[in-house]
C-alpha cells in the first residue's frame, strides 16, 4: 500500500521546550492509526504537524506525495479533516449546527466561492451520517458535549477529506456518548474511504479495526507496530511508567491501570 504521510526527522519546539524530537514515521493509505502516550508526549503536536498547523524546526513532512511547504499547505489541508480536542463553545453563539458543519465546505470552496446545491447536499449528508439532522437549526451553544463532538465530526466529513485526524474525541463525554462516538468512527472507517489517525487515552476505545498503534513519550515515538503487538502489558507499563494489566475477555482486550488484585472485587485501580 502506498505511503500517504511520510514524516522524516521532524523536530518541533516551543521556545526552549522540545515537543517533538527528531521523529520519523510513515503512514500508509487506508490505515487506522491510534496514537497513545502520557500527557505532554507530543500527540497533539504530531497531529498539527500532519495538517500543517504546527511550525517545524527541522525535518520534512510529505503528505499525498508532496512536501508540505507554506505555498501548498492550504491545498494539503483541504484534504485533511481535523476533529480537535473538545473546545469550549460560547453558549451565546448564534451559529447553528448546519452553519457550523457548512464551515467544512467553505474551507474547500473558499469564502468567495459559489455555494452550490452539491455543497448543500454534502452538508446534509454529513449531518445525516453522524445522526444530527434533527439538530441542524439548533445553536451550537446549546449542544451537549457529545452532540458538539458530532458536529465537529460532521464538519470534517463535509469537507470530503482523505485523512481524518481525531484528537481525543471522547474526552469529557459520558459512557454512552463515548460509545456512540467510537461506533461512529468505526463506521466511518468501515467505508474504506479514509485514513484515520486517532489520539486517545482510553485504550479500550481503540477499535478492533485499528491497524497500527504508535506509542509516544517525551516527544519521541518509542515504538510502533500492529495493534495487537503494541497493546501488551509490558510495553504499556513502560510507556506510562505505571503498572498496566491486560486481560482478554471474549476475545477482547481489557486494560486496567494499577495493580490488579484477584481478591473479592477483582478490580484494578481503574479501567482505561
Ligand atoms: N503552544 C504551545 N506553547 C508551548 N508549549 C506547548 C504548546 N503546545 C504544546 N506544548 C508543549 O509541548 C509538549 C507536547 O504537547 P502536546 O499537546 O503535543 O502533548 P499531548 O501528548 O497531546 O498531551 P495530552 O495527552 O495532555 O493532550 C507539552 O510539554 C506541552 O506543554
Ligand atoms: Mg493532546
Amino acid at each position: 500500500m502506498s505511503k500517504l504521510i511520510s514524516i522524516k526527522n521532524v523536530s518541533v519546539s516551543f521556545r526552549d521546550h522540545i515537543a517533538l524530537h527528531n521523529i520519523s514515521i510513515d503512514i500508509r493509505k487506508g490505515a487506522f492509526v491510534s496514537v497513545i502516550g502520557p500527557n505532554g508526549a507530543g500527540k497533539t503536536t504530531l497531529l498539527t504537524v500532519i495538517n500543517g498547523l504546527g511550525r517545524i524546526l527541522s525535518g520534512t513532512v510529505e503528505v499525498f506525495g508532496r512536501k508540505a511547504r507554506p505555498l501548498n499547505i492550504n491545498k494539503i489541508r483541504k484534504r485533511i479533516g481535523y476533529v480537535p480536542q473538545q473546545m469550549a463553545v460560547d453558549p451565546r453563539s448564534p451559529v447553528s449546527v448546519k452553519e457550523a458543519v457548512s464551515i467544512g465546505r467553505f474551507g474547500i470552496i473558499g469564502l468567495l466561492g459559489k455555494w452550490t446545491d452539491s455543497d448543500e447536499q454534502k452538508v446534509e449528508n454529513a449531518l445525516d451520517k453522524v445522526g444530527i439532522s434533527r439538530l441542524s437549526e439548533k445553536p451550537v451553544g446549546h449542544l451537549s458535549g457529545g452532540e458538539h463532538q458530532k458536529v465537529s465530526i460532521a464538519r470534517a466529513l463535509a469537507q470530503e477529506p482523505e485523512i481524518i485526524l481525531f484528537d481525543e474525541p471522547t474526552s469529557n463525554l459520558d459512557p454512552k456518548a463515548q460509545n456512540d462516538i467510537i461506533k461512529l468512527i468505526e463506521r466511518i472507517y468501515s467505508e474504506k474511504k479514509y485514513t484515520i489517525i486517532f489520539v486517545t487515552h482510553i485504550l479500550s476505545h481503540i477499535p478492533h479495526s485499528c491497524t497500527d498503534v504508535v506509542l509516544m513519550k517525551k516527544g519521541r515515538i518509542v515504538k510502533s507496530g500492529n495493534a495487537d503487538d503494541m497493546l501488551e502489558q509490558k510495553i504499556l507499563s513502560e510507556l506510562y511508567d505505571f503498572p498496566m494489566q491486560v486481560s482478554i475477555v471474549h476475545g477482547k482486550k481489557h486494560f486496567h491501570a494499577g495493580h490488579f488484585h484477584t481478591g473479592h472485587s477483582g478490580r484494578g485501580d481503574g479501567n482505561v
Side-chain angles (χ1 to χ4, degrees):
M1 259 199 258
S2 58
K3 267 191 286 184
L4 200 63
I5 302 170
S6 182
I7 293 176
K8 285 198 182 75
N9 306 112
V10 163
S11 295
V12 171
S13 74
F14 296 106
R15 289 191 207 93
D16 55 348
H17 176 80
I18 307 218
L20 292 181
H21 287 268
N22 204 33
I23 67 155
S24 297
I25 186 172
D26 288 336
I27 293 175
R28 65 191 186 285
K29 191 170 181 335
F32 188 123
V33 182
S34 297
V35 181
I36 61 173
N39 291 126
K43 305 179 298 295
T44 297
T45 308
L46 175 64
L47 295 188
T48 62
V49 161
I50 293 170
N51 75 0
L53 288 173
R55 259 216 1 241
I56 65 175
L57 193 65
S58 57
T60 59
V61 180
E62 263 183 48
V63 192
F64 309 117
R66 290 170 180 204
K67 203 179 263 188
R69 299 177 197 280
L71 262 179
N72 66 6
I73 196 62
N74 277 335
K75 263 194 177 157
I76 292 178
R77 201 177 293 147
K78 284 181 181 178
R79 298 166 68 184
I80 304 178
Y82 183 36
V83 181
Q85 226 167 316
Q86 205 171 28
M87 292 177 296
V89 182
D90 184 343
R92 294 162 303 181
S93 169
V95 173
S96 73
V97 165
K98 191 169 171 186
E99 285 163 346
V101 172
S102 300
I103 292 169
R105 282 308 307 158
F106 276 118
I108 299 296
I109 62 173
L111 278 175
L112 302 175
K114 194 170 176 319
W115 185 261
T116 65
D117 287 349
S118 146
D119 294 306
E120 186 74 19
Q121 194 58 53
K122 281 168 183 162
V123 169
E124 300 283 351
N125 291 349
L127 288 164
D128 182 48
K129 193 181 284 185
V130 171
I132 51 170
S133 299
R134 77 200 140 79
L135 299 176
S136 65
E137 301 309 323
K138 201 167 177 177
V140 286
H142 293 179
L143 300 178
S144 72
E147 289 165 344
H148 194 262
Q149 201 58 328
K150 288 180 184 170
V151 172
S152 296
I153 296 175
R155 181 169 51 219
L157 290 176
Q159 207 183 313
E160 298 198 310
E162 290 150 73
I163 300 172
I164 311 182
L165 313 174
F166 291 97
D167 197 353
E168 295 185 43
T170 55
S171 57
N172 300 323
L173 302 185
D174 72 45
K176 176 171 183 310
Q178 290 184 12
N179 189 58
D180 282 356
I181 296 292
I182 295 300
K183 290 278 169 288
L184 175 61
I185 295 172
E186 283 190 78
R187 198 147 42 78
I188 290 168
Y189 182 62
S190 73
E191 290 176 22
K192 301 196 187 309
K193 281 199 293 206
Y194 308 100
T195 300
I196 287 184
I197 306 179
F198 170 76
V199 172
T200 187
H201 280 295
I202 307 178
L203 303 177
S204 57
H205 284 174
I206 296 177
H208 219 63
S209 47
C210 166
T211 56
D212 303 79
V213 174
V214 172
L215 279 66
M216 292 190 73
K217 188 177 189 174
K218 296 183 181 156
R220 293 191 162 85
I221 292 178
V222 288
K223 252 186 179 48
S224 64
N226 83 55
D228 213 34
D229 292 347
M230 294 300 109
L231 301 175
E232 278 292 333
Q233 215 151 282
K234 186 164 174 289
I235 291 175
L236 296 174
S237 302
E238 271 175 25
L239 177 69
Y240 291 107
D241 287 317
F242 198 72
M244 298 289 294
Q245 305 285 335
V246 181
S247 55
I248 299 178
V249 183
H250 301 308
K252 190 178 182 319
K253 281 190 175 176
H254 293 261
F255 305 91
H256 307 270
H259 295 284
F260 191 64
H261 307 292
T262 48
H264 294 301
S265 70
R267 290 166 52 110
D269 294 348
N271 289 311
V272 285

